[in-house]
Amino acid sequence: MNVTEFQQWVNNYYEHRGWSELDIFIRIGFLAEETGEVARAIRALEIGRDRPDEDTESFLDNKNALVEELGDVLGNVIVIANKYNISLEEVFHSHKEKLLKRYSHE
């Protein structure tokens, strides 16, 4: 599945569930929450969990949790992009151009 197909799939899925209708500020809150979950997954991968009430997971389990959380972040980014009719391809191109321009003098 390419990025455009995935963006459309997310759009359809979120619309079917009624998730696309949420206020944009609620969506930003979800994005912030999911970003925190990415941070927690990375912490588990890099330094582990040290609370006695938490189970220690394998590296593979922790990596899979990170993949899942990155997907949740991406889903929220796509919903935001869709709200403003922005394709991910446009986002990728714009980001690439910004970086090339910004760091072309190094």
Side-chain angles (χ1 to χ4, degrees), residues 8 16 23 34 52 59 61 63 68 91-92 98 102:
Q8 186 59 50
H16 176 73
D23 183 90
E34 295 301 344
F59 178 84
D61 287 342
K63 183 178 175 184
E68 183 178 313
V91 173
F92 294 170
K98 178 181 83 172
R102 183 176 291 171

Side-chain angles (χ1 to χ4, degrees), residues 62-84:
N62 286 331
K63 183 178 175 184
N64 288 337
L66 177 58
V67 168
E68 183 178 313
E69 298 306 338
L70 287 170
D72 291 344
V73 167
L74 185 55
N76 280 284
V77 167
I78 289 171
V79 171
I80 293 166
N82 287 343
K83 176 175 178 49
Y84 298 104

